Amino acid sequence: MARPEPIRFRRSTLGEDVYETLKGLVLEHSLSPGDRINIDALAREFAVSPTPVREALARLEADGLVRKRPLVGYTVSPLLTRAEFEAMFEMRLLLECASTRWAAERADTARREAISGEAATTVASEEDDPDGWHAAFTVLDARFHDLIAEASGNELLRDGINRLHAHLHLHRRYFPYAQASATTEEHRRIAAAILAADPDAAEAAMRDHLSSARERHLAAFD
Amino acid sequence: MARPEPIRFRRSTLGEDVYETLKGLVLEHSLSPGDRINIDALAREFAVSPTPVREALARLEADGLVRKRPLVGYTVSPLLTRAEFEAMFEMRLLLECASTRWAAERADTARREAISGEAATTVASEEDDPDGWHAAFTVLDARFHDLIAEASGNELLRDGINRLHAHLHLHRRYFPYAQASATTEEHRRIAAAILAADPDAAEAAMRDHLSSARERHLAAFD
DNA sequence: CCATGAAACATCCTATAGGATCCACGATAT
DNA sequence: ATATCGTGGATCCTATAGGATGTTTCATGG
């Protein structure tokens, strides 16, 4: 807990900036799951008053990233249990498959090509910074799935997927896995099916991808 | 805009109570879609300070019930457009069908019977209070779907469904429809299939139910 | 040695006040 | 008449301070 950066920001409102910053701290594990969050301490650290911090925490709670016990305080949400993780992947399977199918059915040409382009992109292999590499890969993965969700044309679906992605990201940071090559190949297959406007193939490819990803991640629970 | 109730509540924290109260006001249309929300005025009305009101609004924004423009103010979220409404029902179809299938597959006996019981319940037909009757029917419907979602054993799924229900409710209040008898019958079929542990039949029944409901609601857009 | 109760502490929660920003209105120039 | 600019008012946003609550510690009795 040593981040004595005053952090001078002012994009629009302090509450907004504190929210984004805090979200980043949680997602990159500068704040660990289970940690208690001292509002006054955070306020001092950010050189702001507790008021915008409270507002940011209220929003983070709605995202499920922090938990609140009234008159006691906030804590960073604990890591998913195995059961919760399985439930999360059930939900992902549901949402992502639909997202992919609809993208294959409805997306305009520009979006289809954008998805293919994203799938073709690979992370520069900086061997000297495995941690940074993993982060870059995660960003790439999130963007790929979000592009598909956007192409599905259903913003509620997109929101739901992104909401899950935050928790997936959280889990990944704790149990990084290195099988990125398989993931990239699976992404290419999905993108190809979407480009070909083949909903069945696209959904099947996404289903395979998520099933494989699920297996890869489940190893962390052993 | 005349609700001079001081509102003395103290369940746990003021922020929590204000959140629940405001949510109720929006859902029952005491605050109409598009209305500007004056933080100070609300605080005076509730006899609290603006601070907990802000916190409640931050949470409501995450629920999608209010919209925020930084440095300008909050407004009640506008009613769903036809396209958004269709997207919402697409999402509902996805989530509720899975919810029903899993409930039929996994639920324990007690929950199956609870669902059947809820489906068998009918709203007392108070002819003198059609508005109250409609509200009661809405509550019944929400509880039925939530019971199934709970029985599905996936809390994330349940959250997602309830999130959608808030918007459905909002739309319903503006365009009340009276075909409750059909709804009740459809509920019974779903409950029967779940009780019989027949996932395919349960999912199909839910699909029919939602398709019918979609048709009933879509009339409001003509 | 363990259980119970009370007091001190830390922290959260709320109210109030002032600075900052946006919007609306009106005046002036073209 | 229209467009542009400046001013006033309303409202939001943030900081500070004090009351309220939960937690912990420590002493006391069994």
Side-chain angles (χ1 to χ4, degrees):
Chain A
M1 271 291 275
R3 287 184 306 286
E5 327 156 17
I7 301 184
R8 274 283 171 278
F9 38 25
R10 180 62 59 114
R11 201 169 59 203
S12 56
T13 67
L14 280 186
E16 185 75 20
D17 293 333
V18 172
Y19 169 76
E20 295 292 346
T21 305
L22 260 180
K23 190 171 185 177
L25 289 182
V26 172
L27 258 46
E28 72 181 24
H29 282 135
S30 295
L31 291 169
S32 300
D35 278 359
R36 293 203 45 159
I37 298 178
N38 187 315
I39 296 180
D40 292 334
L42 263 185
R44 281 194 301 273
E45 189 175 338
F46 290 168
V48 299
S49 79
T51 310
V53 174
R54 287 179 95 18
E55 189 173 330
L57 285 172
R59 295 177 56 186
L60 283 173
E61 190 197 10
D63 293 339
L65 292 179
V66 303
R67 282 168 139 61
K68 169 185 178 178
R69 275 195 304 168
L71 301 180
V72 175
Y74 287 90
T75 58
V76 180
S77 291
L79 277 186
L80 273 50
T81 65
R82 182 175 187 126
E84 288 168 343
F85 185 85
E86 303 250 26
M88 194 259 282
F89 251 84
E90 271 189 354
M91 191 84 171
R92 267 197 94 193
L93 199 66
L94 204 64
L95 299 185
E96 296 270 19
C97 283
S99 168
T100 306
R101 162 170 289 275
W102 292 336
E105 287 175 357
R106 310 167 178 169
D108 55 49
T109 307
R111 292 184 204 282
R112 291 180 202 272
E113 290 173 350
I115 292 170
S116 290
E118 192 71 19
T121 314
T122 60
V123 180
S125 57
E126 310 167 14
E127 299 293 349
D128 55 346
D129 185 7
D131 204 44
W133 182 90
H134 188 268
F137 171 74
T138 296
V139 170
L140 200 72
D141 181 69
R143 197 160 52 195
F144 176 71
H145 285 275
D146 184 57
L147 272 178
I148 296 178
E150 187 202 1
S152 78
N154 190 325
E155 282 299 311
L156 273 78
L157 179 58
R158 189 183 178 191
D159 283 351
I161 288 176
N162 284 332
R163 192 179 301 273
L164 292 183
H165 252 286
H167 289 275
L168 176 66
H169 180 94
L170 208 57
H171 185 269
R172 268 192 192 145
R173 280 291 289 180
Y174 254 95
F175 306 105
Y177 67 111
Q179 311 179 32
S181 60
T183 299
T184 306
E185 180 52 32
E186 289 159 12
H187 280 191
R188 287 214 184 88
R189 286 184 48 220
I190 296 169
I194 292 177
L195 195 61
D198 186 339
D200 290 330
E203 181 175 345
M206 176 61 86
R207 187 177 304 274
D208 286 346
H209 171 47
L210 291 180
S211 298
S212 302
R214 178 172 167 281
E215 293 304 321
R216 288 193 285 268
H217 287 302
L218 270 182
F221 287 101
D222 297 333
Chain B
M1 273 290 278
R3 287 182 309 286
E5 327 156 19
I7 301 183
R8 271 286 168 277
F9 38 24
R10 181 61 60 111
R11 202 169 57 204
S12 55
T13 67
L14 280 186
E16 185 75 17
D17 294 334
V18 172
Y19 169 75
E20 294 293 345
T21 306
L22 259 180
K23 190 171 184 176
L25 289 182
V26 172
L27 257 45
E28 73 182 23
H29 282 134
S30 294
L31 291 169
S32 300
D35 278 0
R36 294 204 43 158
I37 298 178
N38 187 317
I39 295 180
D40 292 333
L42 263 184
R44 280 193 302 272
E45 190 176 337
F46 290 168
V48 299
S49 79
T51 310
V53 175
R54 290 184 72 58
E55 189 173 329
L57 285 172
R59 294 177 55 185
L60 283 173
E61 191 197 11
D63 293 338
L65 292 178
V66 303
R67 283 169 136 63
K68 171 184 179 178
R69 275 197 304 166
L71 301 180
V72 174
Y74 287 91
T75 58
V76 180
S77 291
L79 277 186
L80 272 52
T81 65
R82 182 175 187 124
E84 289 167 343
F85 183 86
E86 303 248 27
M88 194 260 282
F89 251 84
E90 271 188 353
M91 191 82 171
R92 265 197 97 195
L93 200 67
L94 204 63
L95 299 185
E96 296 269 17
C97 284
S99 167
T100 306
R101 163 170 288 275
W102 292 336
E105 287 175 356
R106 311 168 179 170
D108 54 50
T109 308
R111 292 184 203 281
R112 292 179 201 273
E113 290 173 351
I115 292 170
S116 290
E118 192 70 19
T121 315
T122 61
V123 180
S125 57
E126 309 166 15
E127 298 291 349
D128 54 347
D129 184 7
D131 205 44
W133 181 89
H134 188 269
F137 170 73
T138 297
V139 170
L140 200 71
D141 181 68
R143 197 161 51 195
F144 176 72
H145 285 276
D146 184 57
L147 272 177
I148 296 178
E150 188 203 0
S152 78
N154 190 325
E155 281 299 311
L156 273 77
L157 179 58
R158 189 183 179 190
D159 284 351
I161 288 176
N162 285 332
R163 192 178 300 271
L164 292 182
H165 251 285
H167 290 275
L168 176 66
H169 180 96
L170 208 58
H171 186 267
R172 268 192 190 145
R173 282 290 290 178
Y174 254 96
F175 306 105
Y177 68 111
Q179 310 178 33
S181 60
T183 299
T184 305
E185 179 53 31
E186 290 160 12
H187 280 191
R188 287 214 184 87
R189 286 184 49 223
I190 296 169
I194 291 178
L195 194 60
D198 186 340
D200 291 329
E203 180 174 346
M206 177 60 85
R207 188 177 304 275
D208 286 348
H209 171 46
L210 292 180
S211 298
S212 302
R214 177 172 169 279
E215 293 304 321
R216 288 194 285 268
H217 287 301
L218 270 181
F221 287 101
D222 298 332

